[in-house]
């Protein structure tokens, strides 16, 4: 697989978004672990999780524990795999997603995540979402303290604006290595955040990167998908899936981009990982750009 970098860490250019393995409509554990193993077999070395990736109220950390079990059962060396987790959100069990990014909570959450993952220090820990009730500098300051204490090796931020990125960069310096925002052909509100991430040397991890082509796990079982788009037409020409075309398009957007498509079946992540083999030509890129919603 082609590779990209997060600070000084090299990872496969396509990661795995593990959320679908633990939330509503999740697969059984056998299929979930097979999905993680298929990702590793395909060269994926970045796995994205969070303490809030669970379904019921009493199973905080379900996805982290699942990833830890999958890595332990892989049967080969996984020391090169970067597991990035997030803190600052919760799930009370009624379908809602809450936000709690007070420093004390983030510190406890990070320590609990490290224990569930079975690591001395989390490779990359991301603040899941700004908390409107907590000053941004205080939440980001907690990441700095976690890094300086050795609980985490690097910090990231998610669902943020350019102003918040700049503020976090001032507070964290080179401790800040990534930004994770929603970005896809259907949702490109974070174009400024992508551009700023590239300028600052930060990795940009688009979540729900297949928006418009595949349903996001956050959209529910009736979430919309598109058919007959330029991505589908070029996929037919290339003899590949439209999902691969989307991921190849994302990789062409910026060297900072590392997509993390979600998957709940081995075939899905295996297909997504093959996107690194595609290089879209100028005509294709222009056609896709012209077809994007304004």
């Amino acid at each position: 697989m082609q590779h990209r970098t997060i600070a000084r860490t090299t990872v496969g250019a396509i990661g795995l978004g593990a959320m679908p393995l633990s939330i509503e409509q999740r697969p059984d554990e056998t299929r979930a672990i097979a999905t993680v193993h298929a990702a590793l077999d395909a060269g994926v070395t970045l796995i994205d999780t969070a303490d809030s990736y669970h379904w019921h109220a009493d199973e905080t950390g379900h996805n982290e524990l699942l990833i830890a079990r999958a890595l332990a059962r892989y049967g080969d060396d996984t020391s090169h795999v970067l597991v990035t987790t997030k803190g600052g959100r919760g799930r009370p069990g009624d379908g809602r997603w809450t936000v709690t990014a007070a420093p004390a909570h983030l510190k406890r959450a990070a320590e609990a995540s490290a224990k569930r993952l079975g690591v001395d220090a989390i490779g990359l820990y991301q603040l899941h979402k700004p908390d409107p009730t907590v000053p941004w500098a205080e939440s980001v300051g907690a990441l700095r303290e976690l890094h300086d204490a050795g609980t985490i090796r690097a910090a990231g931020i998610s669902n943020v604006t350019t102003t918040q990125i700049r503020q976090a960069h001032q507070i964290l310096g080179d401790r800040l290595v990534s930004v994770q925002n929603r970005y896809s052909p259907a949702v490109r509100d974070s174009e400024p955040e992508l551009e700023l991430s590239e300028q600052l040397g930060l990795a940009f991890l688009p979540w729900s990167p297949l928006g418009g082509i595949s349903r996001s796990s956050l959209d529910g079982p009736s979430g919309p998908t598109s058919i007959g788009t330029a991505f589908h037409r070029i996929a037919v020409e290339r003899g590949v899936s439209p999902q691969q075309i989307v991921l190849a398009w994302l990789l062409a957007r910026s060297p900072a981009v590392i997509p993390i498509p979600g998957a709940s079946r081995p075939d899905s992540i295996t297909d997504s990982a093959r996107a690194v083999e595609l290089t879209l030509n100028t005509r294709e890129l222009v056609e896709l750009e012209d077809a994007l919603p304004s």
Side-chain angles (χ1 to χ4, degrees):
M1 178 179 280
Q2 296 179 25
H3 294 85
R4 296 205 163 176
T5 58
I6 302 178
R8 292 177 292 275
T9 301
T10 299
V11 296
I14 300 290
L16 169 65
M19 182 177 71
L21 301 177
S22 289
I23 65 168
E24 292 85 338
Q25 289 82 49
R26 65 193 181 200
D28 62 34
E29 180 156 321
T30 298
R31 196 177 91 188
I33 288 180
T35 300
V36 177
H37 289 177
L40 299 173
D41 290 343
V44 170
T45 58
L46 173 66
I47 299 176
D48 179 79
T49 181
D51 61 0
S52 58
Y53 290 169
H54 60 91
W55 185 349
H56 307 293
D58 59 351
E59 53 180 20
T60 297
H62 181 281
N63 199 243
E64 293 171 324
L65 291 167
L66 175 68
I67 296 305
R69 288 195 295 274
L71 292 174
R73 298 176 190 175
Y74 184 53
D76 205 346
D77 180 30
T78 58
S79 61
H80 60 296
V81 176
L82 176 61
V83 177
T84 171
T85 191
K86 297 179 288 295
R89 301 207 74 176
R91 301 211 70 196
D94 58 3
R96 290 183 299 126
W97 294 76
T98 59
V99 181
T100 308
H105 171 83
L106 290 174
K107 292 174 186 177
R108 289 194 302 270
E111 291 166 359
S113 289
K115 184 176 181 179
R116 285 189 290 264
L117 291 170
V119 297
D120 295 329
I122 298 169
L124 172 55
Y125 190 71
Q126 302 177 91
L127 199 164
H128 207 153
K129 189 174 184 178
D131 185 338
T133 69
V134 178
W136 178 237
E138 292 184 11
S139 295
V140 175
L143 296 181
R144 183 177 61 190
E145 293 178 19
L146 284 165
H147 181 276
D148 294 347
T151 308
I152 68 175
R153 292 197 176 95
I157 50 178
S158 182
N159 299 300
V160 288
T161 65
T162 55
T163 297
Q164 289 166 333
I165 294 172
R166 289 190 179 95
Q167 292 173 338
H169 190 253
Q170 289 177 346
I171 294 168
L172 292 167
D174 61 6
R175 303 174 186 84
L176 180 66
V177 302
S178 67
V179 170
Q180 185 175 148
N181 277 16
R182 188 170 196 171
Y183 187 82
S184 69
V187 181
R188 290 177 295 115
D189 296 345
S190 283
E191 196 78 48
E193 288 74 26
L194 167 56
E195 293 174 2
L196 180 58
S197 296
E198 183 176 347
Q199 292 170 16
L200 295 176
L202 307 175
F204 186 85
L205 313 178
W207 63 267
S208 196
L210 301 174
I213 302 300
S214 293
R215 177 185 60 79
S216 167
S217 295
L218 290 176
D219 295 331
S222 61
T225 58
S226 299
I227 58 173
T229 68
F231 291 90
H232 290 83
R233 292 193 297 273
I234 292 173
V236 171
E237 294 173 4
R238 288 290 197 115
V240 300
S241 70
Q243 288 81 4
Q244 285 189 38
I245 299 298
V246 171
L247 294 170
W249 171 79
L250 283 166
L251 291 172
R253 299 295 283 179
S254 166
V257 170
I258 306 173
I260 46 172
S264 61
R265 301 190 312 275
D267 289 350
S268 297
I269 189 57
T270 300
D271 180 76
S272 290
R274 292 194 183 109
V276 299
E277 302 168 6
L278 291 173
T279 300
L280 299 174
N281 60 42
T282 301
R283 176 195 64 82
E284 292 167 332
L285 289 170
V286 170
E287 183 177 342
L288 293 173
E289 189 69 27
D290 290 345
L292 292 172
S294 57

